[in-house]
Amino acid sequence: MKRQLLLVMLLALCSTVGFGQKKSKKDYLVTISTPQGDMRLVLFEDTPKHRENFLKLTKQKYYDGTTFHRIIDGFMIQGGDPNTKDSDPANDGTGSPDYTIPAEILPNHQHTYGAVAAARMGDNMNPQKASSGSQFYLVENQEGVPFLDKNYTVYGQVIDGLAVINKIAEQPKDYRDRPTTDIKMKVTAKKMSKKKITKLYGYRYE
């Protein structure tokens, strides 16, 4: 009887902690609005530092008014630099919130079409591959860019509006890959049930 009672207690404990812990039934649906249209994305729960930072900056409206300052058709579009809010285009790409985020590079998150990944300084200055505190890029190549895997943190996925990434990547630009017309963004996040996200956008959670 005592052994049976102990087993029941252990099973109850496993259902609330450790491997038995239940995942949240809700998620944040992030929307990036641009002149070319809206992109909707989810942020991965197993890259918590990047997820929490992006949501924090979104809540603070940090990204609102920043631009996609670097676009390369067939590759990616990059944004999130606070310097793009000022009138000096020469400093675009160098701004940040003055902190970095430790790398969360995972083999199950790859640079597929629409992947959301963190920009960072090069290996010579940043051997730990720490991410920029705010700059990110979206993969525009429909076949992905696997040569970036294991080198940059992928922490989200665009689940609606992939064609908008293409439109932005195709805009006229200068020799530095900076668009000749500012592509400003507004970023919002709305909590929604995972079932509804799957129903609306076809994204399936693991």
Side-chain angles (χ1 to χ4, degrees):
M1 184 69 179
K2 288 183 178 180
R3 290 181 64 182
Q4 289 178 336
L5 180 61
L6 179 60
L7 180 60
V8 170
M9 291 174 65
L10 285 172
L11 288 173
L13 182 64
C14 288
S15 68
T16 57
V17 299
F19 58 82
Q21 189 173 18
K22 291 183 179 180
K23 291 185 178 181
S24 173
K25 293 182 179 180
K26 292 189 175 183
D27 195 8
Y28 283 96
L29 180 69
V30 177
T31 301
I32 301 177
S33 300
T34 73
Q36 287 71 34
D38 293 348
M39 295 167 283
R40 293 178 178 84
L41 57 96
V42 293
L43 304 171
F44 299 143
E45 294 175 337
D46 55 1
T47 52
K49 294 182 178 67
H50 287 74
R51 173 187 167 90
E52 290 166 12
N53 181 69
F54 195 99
L55 291 173
K56 178 193 74 173
L57 295 180
T58 296
K59 185 177 180 180
Q60 295 173 351
K61 301 186 183 301
Y62 184 94
Y63 288 121
D64 293 0
T66 63
T67 74
F68 282 100
H69 64 273
R70 184 173 177 236
I71 57 173
I72 302 176
D73 194 13
F75 183 28
M76 61 90 214
I77 60 174
Q78 182 174 335
D81 180 355
N83 287 351
T84 61
K85 293 183 179 182
D86 65 28
S87 59
D88 181 12
N91 64 14
D92 290 1
T94 62
S96 74
D98 296 325
Y99 61 80
T100 58
I101 307 169
E104 294 179 298
I105 300 172
L106 301 174
N108 56 314
H109 297 320
Q110 301 175 340
H111 286 78
T112 55
Y113 182 33
V116 183
R120 66 175 179 83
M121 299 290 288
D123 288 356
N124 56 333
M125 298 178 63
N126 178 29
Q128 290 81 24
K129 304 183 190 299
S131 301
S132 164
S134 64
Q135 291 193 47
F136 63 93
Y137 59 93
L138 309 177
V139 174
E140 190 257 345
N141 191 311
Q142 296 189 25
E143 296 181 0
V145 284
F147 67 91
L148 294 180
D149 292 346
K150 301 180 182 178
N151 286 296
Y152 295 79
T153 297
V154 175
Y155 63 97
Q157 177 65 41
V158 174
I159 61 174
D160 182 62
L162 287 168
V164 177
I165 305 178
N166 302 340
K167 290 179 182 178
I168 293 174
E170 294 166 356
Q171 295 303 303
K173 62 182 183 178
D174 63 19
Y175 69 97
R176 296 175 303 160
D177 295 320
R178 184 185 186 278
T180 54
T181 300
D182 285 350
I183 302 172
K184 293 185 178 182
M185 72 178 81
K186 179 180 180 180
V187 184
T188 57
K190 180 180 180 181
K191 207 162 193 180
M192 187 180 295
S193 74
K194 291 179 177 179
K195 283 186 177 180
K196 187 172 182 179
I197 291 174
T198 298
K199 182 178 180 180
L200 290 175
Y201 305 107
Y203 180 77
R204 297 193 176 278
Y205 291 87
E206 295 180 358

